[in-house]
Amino acid sequence: MTDAMVRLVDHVVIRFAGDSGDGMQLVGSRFTAETARLGNDLATLPSYPAEIRAPAGTLSGVSSFQIHFADQAVRTPGESPDVLVALNPAALKANLADVRLGGLIIVDAAEFTPRNLAKAGYADSPLSDGSLQDYQVEAFDLTRLALEAAQPYGLGRKQAARVKNMVALGLLTWLYSRSTEPTEDYLNDRFADQPDLRQANLAAFQAGIACGESSEAFAVRYEVAPAPMPPGQYRQISGNRALAMGLVTGAHLAGLPLFCGSYPITPASDILHELSGCKEHGVITFQAEDEIAGVGAALGASFAGHLGVTTTSGPGLALKMETIGLAVMMELPLVVVDVQRAGPSTGMPTKTEQSDLRQALWGRPGESPAVVLAAQSPSDCFDTAVEACRLAITYRTPVILLTDGYLGNGAEPWRLPDLTELPEIPTAWSQRPNGAAPDGSPRHLPYRRDPVTLIRDWAIPGTPGLEHRLGGLEKAVDGSISYDPANHDQMVRLREAKVAGVVRDLPDLAVDDPSGQAELLVLGWGSTHGPIAAAVARLRALGFDLARAHLRHLNPLPANLAQVLDGYGQIVVPELNLGQLAEMVRARTLTPVTSYSRVRGQPIGVRQLVGFLRDRLEGSEPDRAEGTPDRAEEELS
Amino acid sequence: MRGGLDLVPTSPQALRRADFTSSAEVRWCPGCGDYSILAALTGLLPELGVKRENVVIVSGIGCSSRLPYYVDTYGLHSIHGRAPAIASGIAITRPDLSVWVVSGDGDALSIGGNHLIHALRRNVNLNILLFNNRIYGLTKGQYSPTSEMGKVTGSSPVGSTDQPFNPVSLALGAEASFVARALDSDRAGLTEALRQAAQHRGAALVEIYQNCPIFNDGAYDSLKGPTSDQALIRLEQGRPIVFDDGRSCLIRDPSSGDLQVAAVDQVDPARILVHDATRPDPSLAFALSRLTDLSGQIRRCPIGLFRQVERPCYDDLVRQQVSWSAQPETRAAALSRWLAGPEPWTVD
């Protein structure tokens, strides 16, 4: 047995990759739980094959899970893995280009057979042809270790071989000095009723640990110290799950049952799944016949006094737009979640993008204002969803909440909220008539408004004496159809002013400018928050002054936006689109801004953004602000 | 089995038609069949004995879809074709409401066809009134999905080439638990169909033949007036199906099971088909629906209740799965547990 030296490192990126049947997501999530237990900050991102059952052993069947953990704040799941665990040749081939030079590659030697190599498109084994000389490659017979560990428990060969994922997990657990308890607890619980499987998995996990201890391969093992985090109770949370929890919490704060009408779509379906399991929280989910029915039923539920929400991705949002317009006209609460993906059309459903901003803001017929919000990180999906519910109910308005595939599937530690500290959301339904009919009899005037906020009086069915009709046709204050030019002019402006007036309820845009000397401001929105924060932190560590601000509210924009922009000579707007926010900011503030645009289906690369910003800070003239990255940059990524 | 109105609170005082008549000026064309349907509905609603504030009428787009404005209940004049979806959201969340959908042949069968069949399939507790005038009225006279083939309209100057839907057949094929057909001019029959629909727990489709005097006048003339009995086959529960002044009847071919029209005096009375809308198997109801003549002048048409069977109601099933504590503290505790998940950890 070697007594490996322990070396302290500040951050590590590990990618687990294998065939989609190899259980890589499970290994990743268990390693994450072990890491969270040690108090590291972390971020994770899974990557699934687009095909549900791609042929085993092929490049298209590779599934992976990446974790970035550190003794300090972690902003992104990381770009270049320090460690790649590749359980077959295809997993190696599909992921090798991302691994940092000199990184550690652990493979299952048993899988590098001529047949598997051929499936992955290798002519010769990369383990022996010298092509991996820039990396530290450690080949173990993980399959044999799994079979030996499982042998006493009577599993068939195929089933026994499947526990090799636990061998790999044990090895990494040892190498990074992780806590073994969460995985042991998990296996004991998961296979409580299947003692053979439980024992085989535990034995495989132990075999992986023993493999690390006894191997000559590792002269050092690593530790990552805990990151300073505010005290409290934490859990690991993905963006989609946090968003579902935020919706349920928002409805809870309003004292309303939640109704979610949705149609399955990648990458938003997990929100529907999560809400479908919330029956004890009063949540009704309606898997509709199409996107339109999903939002229609949600709007009906809101009319009836529930909180109606619908969840989708870009193509689905397009189908829902007419109904969102109806919600604008009827002035009813409606929360529409768009987990954006690469478009247009079907695009790349499993890949991320931020290209629905214009659609959310302006994709409806007529002057049709809606509140638009964007979440910034997986855990922030919770806060933004609560905020969406609050604004929808308070202002009787549709709210479009933008996240994306990167946020939805990514995960990070989340400090659990104290429900008693979250403010209640009053529904303030009308109980008595607020006006009179022409004959003087008491009557509910559905479009009578608060003179300051312009919020209309809302009565739900079942309230006696307040019967009224709403609909898509333009209305007078009493709810009757009106084609009067002056009335339409007034109503269009009232609806616009009501949504614009939400700004009174919003915090000013906060600027992160520690020195107060910065000339350059990086302005972002949504999921670019992590990469921008990481890039800005790196540049500050190099001695540069630069400021950073991030928009959560896209409509209305914070009141002080123009004033903030005025304070900086250069403004750079990084986005995963062709400059949609940049264009809006230019139009609204008449401020020149530089768009940094990426549409590769991936999060913004920190290294490339650092390079771009550094050029700007040093006064050189980068020539690819809005274009595609040049070849050298691509190869770097 | 519960009735359609069982969870809707009853009105302590008797209501009258005037209580359900809104102050909005009715603006359909003179002679429109919609007037008599509105009158049948506002006549029936007080008779149902439910609270006015617990009635909701949801419509789509089209001439018929203006109806909610004219009834003083809660109402929602929505967008084209989507009324069944919107009404589903209302019915699922509020079992204490009597929810009515008002739609036309274009609204329900063209742009909203998908929502209609799925509302029927799920058996949401809705009363769906399909005003079928076999033409697009509000857009000024294009052929609709129920117009006869060859119809000459603004958008089909040399005759339409579209095969029409038979709405009753469509509804039966979509697993509807209640399907009826009525005629705008037959106040008694129409009112009875609406009453049965309201009292049915589940999705009830009532196809109403409705005359459009402007763009498709006389579409149903063969079913009205002194000679109508030659064409109209009145379906009466438990009664032999006899029409044409007692001269014709329906029998089943013993080998194929097909329905056939026969002369009453040529068949053994025991062979005359006795109508039973409650048969679990929809085949016979479907066969009845196929007797409908879809040509321009309808020469034969069954009318009345085709099918009414007990089937679990979607919204009841959904609500049975959901629990929500009446105590906010209990709700908060359950929510906190869920937020924390199975593996929380503490940072001191």
Side-chain angles (χ1 to χ4, degrees), chain A residues 569-635:
Chain A
Q570 282 198 78
I571 295 148
V572 175
V573 182
E575 295 178 85
L576 298 176
N577 58 46
L578 295 184
Q580 298 188 9
L581 176 69
E583 182 186 46
M584 180 171 73
V585 167
R586 288 183 196 119
R588 292 285 171 85
T589 66
L590 299 180
T591 307
V593 304
T594 302
S595 169
Y596 178 86
S597 159
R598 289 294 178 271
V599 281
R600 300 163 55 83
Q602 297 165 336
I604 282 182
V606 174
R607 192 186 314 159
Q608 295 93 315
L609 180 58
V610 164
F612 179 83
L613 292 172
R614 187 172 182 157
D615 286 349
R616 309 287 301 189
L617 288 160
E618 290 174 338
S620 58
E621 272 300 312
D623 58 1
R624 47 181 196 269
E626 301 204 35
T628 53
D630 65 22
R631 187 129 203 104
E633 190 181 358
E634 271 189 57
E635 282 164 5

Side-chain angles (χ1 to χ4, degrees), chain A residues 10 104 171 195 238 243 276 312 341 345 445 482 488 502 544 550 567 617:
Chain A
D10 57 4
L104 171 63
L171 184 57
S238 72
L243 198 137
S276 300
T312 190
R341 65 190 214 187
S345 187
L445 308 178
S482 172
H488 178 61
V502 170
F544 290 100
H550 214 76
L617 288 160

Side-chain angles (χ1 to χ4, degrees), chain B residues 82-267:
Chain B
R82 316 303 171 201
I86 293 170
S88 291
I90 298 172
I92 293 165
T93 51
R94 293 287 300 273
D96 62 326
L97 301 177
S98 174
V99 185
W100 298 72
V101 171
V102 172
S103 189
D105 40 315
D107 194 56
L109 300 174
S110 240
I111 193 166
N114 199 30
H115 308 307
L116 178 74
I117 58 174
H118 288 281
L120 295 174
R121 165 179 74 84
R122 293 190 185 99
N123 206 27
V124 183
N125 193 21
L126 299 172
N127 312 312
I128 304 171
L129 313 187
L130 199 172
F131 292 30
N132 181 6
N133 57 14
R134 310 189 74 186
I135 199 78
Y136 283 148
L138 202 59
T139 51
K140 302 198 192 307
Q142 301 82 5
Y143 61 96
S144 92
T146 56
S147 297
E148 66 275 17
M149 276 190 93
K151 189 157 194 78
V152 174
T153 72
S155 57
S156 55
V158 291
S160 87
T161 49
D162 280 33
Q163 166 75 22
F165 266 141
N166 177 333
V168 171
S169 300
L170 181 76
L172 291 167
E175 307 287 349
S177 62
F178 180 109
V179 186
R181 177 184 283 153
L183 199 53
D184 57 0
S185 57
D186 172 15
R187 175 70 59 83
L190 174 58
T191 302
E192 186 55 23
L194 299 183
R195 185 196 316 278
Q196 289 171 322
Q199 288 168 348
H200 176 72
R201 191 155 199 86
L205 180 91
V206 183
E207 182 194 13
I208 305 169
Y209 282 167
Q210 172 244 325
N211 190 49
C212 171
I214 306 299
F215 296 109
N216 202 17
D217 195 24
Y220 299 110
D221 276 0
S222 63
L223 307 179
K224 303 176 181 179
T227 59
S228 66
D229 201 52
Q230 290 170 15
L232 271 182
I233 305 175
R234 294 187 186 276
L235 304 175
E236 294 175 80
Q237 179 68 16
R239 301 283 302 270
I241 302 176
V242 175
F243 58 103
D244 192 13
D245 276 333
R247 288 189 289 270
S248 302
C249 65
L250 295 184
I251 59 170
R252 297 183 79 170
D253 181 299
S255 56
S256 70
D258 288 350
L259 288 185
Q260 294 176 337
V261 175
V264 169
D265 56 11
Q266 300 289 309
V267 297

Side-chain angles (χ1 to χ4, degrees), chain B residues 4-10 50-51 54-55 95-98:
Chain B
L5 299 170
D6 282 4
L7 300 179
V8 184
T10 51
V50 297
K51 287 184 172 176
N54 289 73
V55 175
D96 62 326
L97 301 177
S98 174

Side-chain angles (χ1 to χ4, degrees), chain A residues 474 483-496:
Chain A
E474 186 64 280
Y483 281 81
D484 175 48
N487 178 72
H488 178 61
D489 181 275
Q490 184 188 30
M491 291 295 269
V492 166
R493 292 173 198 283
L494 279 170
R495 285 187 288 265
E496 185 70 23

Side-chain angles (χ1 to χ4, degrees), chain A residues 26-173:
Chain A
L26 175 68
V27 166
S29 68
R30 294 336 302 165
F31 190 85
T32 302
E34 295 173 359
T35 297
R37 188 70 65 93
L38 293 180
N40 298 129
D41 196 6
L42 60 92
T44 65
L45 191 68
S47 172
Y48 312 100
E51 293 80 9
I52 303 299
R53 291 280 180 271
T58 62
L59 290 172
S60 61
V62 173
S63 163
S64 70
F65 183 100
Q66 182 160 312
I67 175 170
H68 177 192
F69 57 104
D71 63 359
Q72 57 201 298
V74 170
R75 311 284 193 187
T76 74
E79 288 159 40
S80 306
D82 302 297
V83 181
L84 171 68
V85 178
L87 290 194
N88 66 10
L92 175 66
K93 190 164 195 185
N95 292 286
L96 182 65
D98 294 339
V99 181
R100 94 170 149 72
L101 291 179
L104 171 63
I105 297 171
I106 296 174
V107 300
D108 179 9
E111 289 286 330
F112 282 68
T113 61
R115 189 176 137 85
N116 287 353
L117 289 166
K119 274 195 215 169
Y122 278 119
D124 299 304
S125 173
L127 301 183
S128 54
D129 70 358
S131 62
L132 301 177
Q133 60 181 354
D134 292 336
Y135 307 90
Q136 179 194 350
V137 181
E138 300 299 343
F140 296 96
D141 193 337
L142 300 176
T143 300
R144 184 179 56 79
L145 289 170
L147 292 172
E148 285 173 6
Q151 195 268 332
Y153 306 106
L155 273 54
R157 189 192 150 84
K158 200 170 174 187
Q159 210 173 14
R162 286 185 65 165
V163 301
K164 76 174 173 184
N165 64 345
M166 284 297 136
V167 180
L169 178 60
L171 184 57
L172 270 289
T173 299

